[in-house]
């Protein structure tokens, strides 16, 4: 199908959609949406006012509205659902895939989510969604799919094959690779490979050919544990069980890859100062302002502390004005080295190859590296300073300050994520500001303090 942007201008298709929403033409709006790619749908809704976004969703039939919500960013879809009447939101919600529904419930205000669930027709489905949304999004319970093929331990191979054949379309959508065997309480009992099913006489009990006590994960297992487990072997999926051993879902390799991408996005946003979740420019202005100020406000205090170091050594800086040229270079170069150490620590924490208390390992591994790189960079910048002003003492000040500050920054950069992780604070959110302030303060202090001690040789 030809993309809508190939038929008309970028402005026209979202303006047409908004016009159809305003006049209440549900059929035409649905047809236009079907011509748009998911990216174009997101673009169109981002140009709508909040009231218009809600009006469009309410105008569509539940199936079309659910499809549109599935293509929107979670933050935007959640905001729309929270504004809808609970009974209408429930109609749309029931058309959403289970994993998307659980993700949206998790992001919704608790009162709104409970009101929505109370309006659902299927109480059992509502209870399952409530339970699934209670898991953190990046745990096995949050990542698992609840659509899988399972059979009683009393079944025969023929029973399984007949059921799979009669429901081929349903199971085809699941991309079934394994069939799970459960006991009378729903507890995981074994796993069947499709190859074994096909090659076995139909009258044979599934318990004779199943793999007993298969590897499984707990619904509470965190993302790091899942990553390590899937890295050990090329698993396609692993069954997720609760504390009683009941089979609750299957964590697939694909869902883990998607979670990895989400983690990277979240880390990038946090490191950039976007706190409190995803931000879109279609969100309310005051909400966006408040969330950004939550990160910018503390940074004012941290930067004032760094600036106070310069104020304390104002006389030294006035006497040797050339130092002002090298202050930002030393703090920036040290900060870059520290950020490299932060990135390595966060990656190792994610992979599980380092623990939160292994500070001595950081001191050794980063300390040696910091001395090597700090010495090389310090000598290079110090030589430039000495040649520029014809003063070897200025070069020694710059060399010593950059060398020591680089050493300090890589040690801090390596240890801060471990310390924050131990304190249950997101390393991606807080490591950057803390490291930047520390390297600035230490860099300014080292340059100006060393220069003060050698002032007579610098002027």
């Amino acid at each position: 199908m030809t993309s809508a942007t190939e038929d008309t201008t970028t402005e026209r298709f979202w303006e047409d959609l908004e016009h159809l929403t305003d006049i209440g033409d549900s059929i035409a709006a649905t047809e236009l949406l079907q011509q748009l790619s998911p990216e174009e749908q997101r673009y169109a809704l981002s140009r709508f006012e909040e009231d218009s976004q809600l009006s469009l969703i309410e105008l569509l039939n539940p199936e079309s509205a659910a499809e549109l919500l599935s293509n929107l960013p979670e933050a935007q879809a959640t905001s729309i659902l929270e504004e809808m009447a609970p009974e209408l939101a429930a109609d749309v919600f029931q058309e959403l895939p289970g994993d998307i529904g659980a993700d949206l419930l998790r992001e919704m205000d608790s009162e709104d989510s409970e009101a929505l669930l109370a309006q659902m027709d299927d109480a059992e489905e509502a209870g399952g969604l409530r339970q699934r949304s209670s898991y953190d999004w990046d745990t096995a319970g949050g990542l698992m799919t609840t659509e899988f093929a399972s059979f009683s331990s009393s079944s025969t191979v023929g029973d399984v094959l007949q059921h799979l054949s009669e429901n081929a379309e349903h199971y085809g959508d699941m991309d079934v690779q394994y069939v799970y065997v459960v006991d009378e309480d729903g507890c995981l009992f074994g796993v069947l490979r499709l190859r074994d099913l096909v090659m076995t006489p139909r009258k044979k009990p599934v318990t004779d050919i199943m793999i007993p006590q298969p590897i499984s994960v707990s619904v509470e297992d965190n993302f790091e544990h899942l990553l390590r487990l899937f890295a050990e072997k090329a698993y396609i999926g692993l069954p997720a069980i609760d504390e009683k051993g009941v089979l609750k879902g299957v964590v697939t390799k694909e869902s883990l890859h998607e979670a990895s991408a989400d983690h990277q996005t979240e880390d990038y946003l946090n490191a950039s100062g976007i706190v409190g979740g995803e931000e879109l420019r279609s969100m309310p202005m005051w909400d966006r302002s408040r969330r950004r100020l939550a990160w910018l406000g503390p940074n004012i205090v941290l930067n004032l502390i760094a600036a106070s170091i310069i104020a304390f050594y104002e006389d030294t800086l006035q006497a040797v004005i050339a130092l002002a040229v090298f202050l930002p270079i030393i703090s920036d170069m040290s900060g870059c080295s520290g950020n490299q150490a932060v990135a390595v620590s966060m990656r190792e924490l994610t992979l599980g190859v380092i623990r939160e208390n292994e500070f001595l390992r950081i001191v050794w591994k980063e300390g040696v590296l910091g001395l090597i790189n700090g010495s090389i960079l310090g000598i290079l910048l110090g030589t430039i300073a000495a040649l520029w002003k014809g003063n070897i003492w200025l070069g020694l000040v710059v060399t010593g300050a950059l060398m020591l500050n680089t050493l300090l920054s890589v040690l801090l950069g390596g240890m801060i994520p471990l310390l924050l992780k131990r304190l249950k604070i997101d390393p991606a959110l807080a490591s950057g500001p803390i490291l930047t302030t520390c390297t600035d303060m230490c860099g300014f202090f080292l340059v100006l303090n060393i220069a003060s001690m050698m002032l007579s040789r610098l002027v």
Side-chain angles (χ1 to χ4, degrees), residues 279-412:
E279 178 182 323
L280 300 171
R281 293 188 174 92
S282 58
M283 291 178 174
M285 188 65 70
W286 281 112
D287 288 347
R288 295 175 58 217
S289 174
R290 174 177 51 80
R291 289 164 62 176
R292 290 198 188 188
L293 286 174
W295 190 84
L296 294 172
N299 269 272
I300 292 180
V301 177
L302 296 175
N303 280 285
L304 284 173
I305 296 173
S308 66
I309 303 294
I310 297 177
F312 185 79
Y313 288 98
E314 184 179 358
D315 293 341
T316 301
L317 192 57
Q318 288 180 345
V320 190
I321 198 65
L323 292 174
V325 175
F326 295 98
L327 281 176
I329 299 176
I330 291 172
S331 63
D332 183 67
M333 291 300 300
S334 301
C336 290
S337 297
N339 281 324
Q340 290 174 330
V342 167
V344 174
S345 285
M346 290 182 62
R347 180 58 177 164
E348 289 189 337
L349 284 170
T350 299
L351 295 175
V353 298
I354 196 170
R355 299 290 183 265
E356 292 91 333
N357 59 351
E358 293 187 81
F359 295 106
L360 289 179
R361 176 178 173 82
I362 297 294
V363 171
W364 168 245
K365 293 291 187 178
E366 291 293 344
V368 174
L369 183 64
L371 283 174
I372 295 172
N373 287 356
S375 299
I376 294 173
L377 294 172
I379 291 172
L380 177 61
L381 189 62
T383 300
I384 294 173
L387 293 175
W388 178 43
K389 287 297 182 180
N391 188 329
I392 192 173
W393 298 103
L394 176 63
L396 290 175
V397 169
V398 171
T399 297
L402 182 52
M403 181 181 68
L404 292 174
N405 206 35
T406 298
L407 172 61
L408 181 63
S409 67
V410 296
L411 290 176
L412 286 174

Side-chain angles (χ1 to χ4, degrees), residues 194-206:
L194 292 181
R195 179 185 61 190
D196 294 337
L197 279 171
V198 175
M199 303 297 291
T200 303
R202 287 177 169 264
K203 293 183 179 181
K204 205 171 189 65
V206 293

Side-chain angles (χ1 to χ4, degrees), residues 169-310:
E169 184 176 346
H170 174 67
Y171 288 114
D173 293 338
M174 296 184 195
D175 189 26
V176 174
Q177 300 290 330
Y178 295 97
V179 174
Y180 299 96
V181 180
V182 296
D183 63 16
E184 61 274 10
D185 296 319
C187 294
L188 180 64
F189 196 53
V191 63
L192 296 165
R193 293 175 294 198
L194 292 181
R195 179 185 61 190
D196 294 337
L197 279 171
V198 175
M199 303 297 291
T200 303
R202 287 177 169 264
K203 293 183 179 181
K204 205 171 189 65
V206 293
T207 52
D208 288 356
I209 64 169
M210 73 179 187
I211 301 172
Q213 299 179 334
I215 296 175
S216 62
V217 296
S218 166
V219 290
E220 301 291 346
D221 283 346
N222 60 31
F223 182 70
E224 288 79 9
H225 176 75
L226 295 174
L227 272 182
R228 290 195 297 271
L229 200 57
F230 274 81
E232 291 173 2
K233 291 185 179 180
Y235 296 115
I236 297 174
L238 289 173
I241 59 175
D242 65 11
E243 66 279 0
K244 296 179 180 178
V246 176
L247 179 60
K248 308 299 289 188
V250 177
V251 179
T252 65
K253 189 174 185 179
E254 181 183 1
S255 66
L256 201 63
H257 285 165
E258 291 175 357
S260 295
D262 290 341
H263 260 286
Q264 291 172 2
T265 300
E266 186 178 75
D267 290 345
Y268 174 74
L269 290 173
N270 286 338
S272 302
I274 305 298
V275 299
E278 187 175 24
E279 178 182 323
L280 300 171
R281 293 188 174 92
S282 58
M283 291 178 174
M285 188 65 70
W286 281 112
D287 288 347
R288 295 175 58 217
S289 174
R290 174 177 51 80
R291 289 164 62 176
R292 290 198 188 188
L293 286 174
W295 190 84
L296 294 172
N299 269 272
I300 292 180
V301 177
L302 296 175
N303 280 285
L304 284 173
I305 296 173
S308 66
I309 303 294
I310 297 177

Side-chain angles (χ1 to χ4, degrees), residues 6 33 35 49 54 56 59 62 81 111-112 116 134 169 181 199 268 270 281 286 297 319 326 357 373 389 394 440 459:
E6 295 175 9
L33 281 170
Q35 297 175 29
E49 297 294 333
L54 180 60
L56 174 60
L59 180 65
L81 283 171
E111 291 184 5
D112 291 322
L116 185 155
S134 67
E169 184 176 346
V181 180
M199 303 297 291
Y268 174 74
N270 286 338
R281 293 188 174 92
W286 281 112
F326 295 98
N357 59 351
N373 287 356
K389 287 297 182 180
L394 176 63
D440 285 350
V459 295

Side-chain angles (χ1 to χ4, degrees), residues 25-239:
D25 192 336
S26 174
I27 296 176
T30 302
E31 290 177 350
L32 179 53
L33 281 170
Q34 290 174 346
Q35 297 175 29
L36 302 178
S37 67
E39 180 182 347
E40 290 167 335
Q41 290 179 8
R42 288 190 290 271
Y43 181 90
L45 268 290
S46 72
R47 296 302 184 271
F48 278 30
E49 297 294 333
E50 276 192 274
D51 291 343
S52 297
Q53 294 178 9
L54 180 60
S55 297
L56 174 60
I57 295 295
E58 292 177 339
L59 180 65
L60 303 173
N61 62 56
E63 185 177 353
S64 298
E67 183 178 354
L68 177 56
L69 285 178
S70 299
N71 292 330
L72 298 180
E74 280 185 14
Q76 191 174 16
T78 299
S79 178
I80 292 173
L81 283 171
E82 288 177 338
E83 293 298 320
M84 296 175 69
E87 58 275 10
L88 183 57
D91 290 340
V92 174
F93 201 81
Q94 290 174 132
E95 300 295 331
L96 288 169
D99 55 342
I100 294 179
D103 290 340
L104 294 181
L105 272 181
R106 195 178 293 112
E107 297 299 320
M108 291 176 67
D109 179 80
S110 58
E111 291 184 5
D112 291 322
S113 64
E114 283 301 320
L116 185 155
L117 290 171
Q119 294 294 325
M120 290 184 64
D121 298 330
D122 190 333
E124 185 176 347
E125 181 184 358
L129 283 167
R130 183 183 290 107
Q131 182 183 43
R132 186 173 175 185
S133 64
S134 67
Y135 303 121
D136 289 339
W137 72 271
D138 58 352
T139 61
L143 295 174
M144 69 184 181
T145 176
T146 53
E147 296 182 339
F148 53 88
S150 66
F151 295 87
S152 168
S153 55
S154 61
S155 302
T156 64
V157 171
D159 294 333
V160 174
L161 290 176
Q162 182 178 353
H163 184 83
L164 291 175
S165 176
E166 291 174 351
N167 298 274
E169 184 176 346
H170 174 67
Y171 288 114
D173 293 338
M174 296 184 195
D175 189 26
V176 174
Q177 300 290 330
Y178 295 97
V179 174
Y180 299 96
V181 180
V182 296
D183 63 16
E184 61 274 10
D185 296 319
C187 294
L188 180 64
F189 196 53
V191 63
L192 296 165
R193 293 175 294 198
L194 292 181
R195 179 185 61 190
D196 294 337
L197 279 171
V198 175
M199 303 297 291
T200 303
R202 287 177 169 264
K203 293 183 179 181
K204 205 171 189 65
V206 293
T207 52
D208 288 356
I209 64 169
M210 73 179 187
I211 301 172
Q213 299 179 334
I215 296 175
S216 62
V217 296
S218 166
V219 290
E220 301 291 346
D221 283 346
N222 60 31
F223 182 70
E224 288 79 9
H225 176 75
L226 295 174
L227 272 182
R228 290 195 297 271
L229 200 57
F230 274 81
E232 291 173 2
K233 291 185 179 180
Y235 296 115
I236 297 174
L238 289 173

